[in-house]
Amino acid sequence: MSSEESTRFQTGELGRAGARARVFAPLRRIVVNGLIFLAPIAVVVLLWQGMTIASGWPKYLLPGPLVVAETFWNLLTSGVLLNNLLASMGRLLIGCVAAFVLAVPLGYAIGTSRIADRMFSPVVSVTQPIPGIAWIPLAILWFGLGPLAVGFVIFLSAFFPILLNTTTGVRTVTRELIRVGRVFQFPRRMMVFDVVLPSALPYIVTGVRLGFGYGWRALVAGEMIAASSGLGSMIFEARDFLRTDEVIVGMITIGLFWAAVERLLLRRIEKQTIEKWGLASAAA
């Protein structure tokens, strides 16, 4: 074989090797990421199974992973788990939307007006450290047992993260942007919706993500006491009948649902917002 033919052969082999690498690289990445994701879960399941064997507790106190998996499947196929999840999702959405509708305008007012800041900041400083769960007794007294009491607790839990982040975002708007708006004599509406709020949008989205998280935790606690449906209520009723497997299923569902919402939705929205509006504000 001549040197020219050898060179062509080596070049062809390298090209085919590069093509194979490009084809299998995404597959290899998926496998590696899958192993990284599943390895901690496998360790937890093995430790869990080991505890059920070593502890000697009866199954109704500490059921094994297989028992919990079977209960999860039964509750899912019967529709009980899905109905309770949908009930919790509806309450969460209503409470958090109400918090957003009130918190963003109030945060804007506090961030742009000294009078509003002096009026509302003391009240916010006193009520913000109170956890949403602490409001449950008052919520039951005011609204009774039912969705209104749970919605009130969710509202308070989500309200303050959105409010504080909106206030911070509005206050970080550069003075140059405001001066430009004043030079061009932007009307009030244009200053608010085209200058201030777009610049503060990354902070607002972060506040929404945090608010939804706090609201979700408060929702479960509120449903345990003041609701007859939802994941919290399902867990509380299962405890009364010593159905520990259903309790664990409810806890796992709470964690899985929120992990999916945060990673697949809220974090992506936050990242895209920061990349688009945060960089735009910095450039301006």
Side-chain angles (χ1 to χ4, degrees):
M1 181 183 296
S2 65
S3 59
E4 184 178 351
E5 292 176 345
S6 176
T7 301
R8 285 200 301 269
F9 177 78
Q10 292 176 1
T11 303
E13 287 296 318
L14 290 174
R16 285 190 289 272
R20 287 194 296 268
R22 286 192 297 271
V23 170
F24 288 106
L27 180 61
R28 189 182 301 112
R29 194 180 305 114
I30 292 173
V31 172
V32 171
N33 291 337
L35 291 175
I36 293 174
F37 176 77
L38 293 175
I41 298 176
V43 171
V44 171
V45 171
L46 289 175
L47 290 175
W48 179 5
Q49 183 63 41
M51 288 178 59
T52 59
I53 297 173
S55 65
W57 289 356
K59 290 184 178 180
Y60 70 87
L61 287 180
L62 185 60
L66 293 178
V67 176
V68 172
E70 182 181 359
T71 303
F72 181 90
W73 177 253
N74 292 334
L75 291 174
L76 184 63
T77 53
S78 65
V80 173
L81 187 61
L82 183 58
N83 290 335
N84 284 295
L85 177 60
L86 291 175
S88 296
M89 290 171 57
R91 296 188 184 110
L92 176 72
L93 189 61
I94 293 173
C96 288
V97 168
F100 176 84
V101 170
L102 184 60
V104 172
L106 184 58
Y108 176 86
I110 294 174
T112 56
S113 170
R114 291 183 180 180
I115 297 176
D117 187 17
R118 292 177 181 177
M119 287 177 59
F120 295 106
S121 289
V123 179
V124 172
S125 298
V126 172
T127 54
Q128 186 266 336
I130 303 174
I133 298 174
W135 290 93
I136 293 177
L138 283 178
I140 294 174
L141 290 174
W142 291 344
F143 304 106
L145 296 174
L148 284 178
V150 179
F152 179 72
V153 174
I154 298 170
F155 168 81
L156 288 176
S157 300
F159 174 79
F160 291 105
I162 301 174
L163 173 70
L164 296 176
N165 276 272
T166 301
T167 302
T168 302
V170 170
R171 286 175 175 170
T172 57
V173 177
T174 59
R175 294 181 178 179
E176 287 76 11
L177 288 175
I178 297 177
R179 289 198 191 99
V180 168
R182 290 174 179 172
V183 167
F184 286 96
Q185 297 181 349
F186 287 174
R188 178 74 175 177
R189 179 183 178 85
M190 193 172 182
M191 282 289 294
V192 173
F193 292 102
D194 293 343
V195 178
V196 179
L197 287 182
S199 300
L201 192 58
Y203 290 87
I204 297 173
V205 172
T206 300
V208 169
R209 184 171 71 87
L210 295 174
F212 267 70
Y214 285 117
W216 181 246
R217 285 191 284 269
L219 160 74
V220 175
E223 287 180 341
M224 288 183 177
I225 302 173
S228 58
S229 63
L231 294 175
S233 176
M234 186 186 79
I235 291 173
F236 209 63
E237 290 179 4
R239 185 216 60 165
D240 292 338
F241 293 98
L242 296 179
R243 294 299 307 270
T244 312
D245 51 345
E246 291 188 12
V247 173
I248 296 175
V249 167
M251 295 170 61
I252 292 174
T253 303
I254 290 168
L256 289 177
F257 171 77
W258 185 249
V261 170
E262 187 180 39
R263 290 182 176 273
L264 300 179
L265 181 63
L266 295 180
R267 283 192 180 183
R268 289 188 177 184
I269 293 175
E270 182 184 28
K271 182 180 178 181
Q272 293 175 0
T273 303
I274 292 174
E275 289 177 353
K276 180 178 180 180
W277 295 102
L279 293 176
S281 300

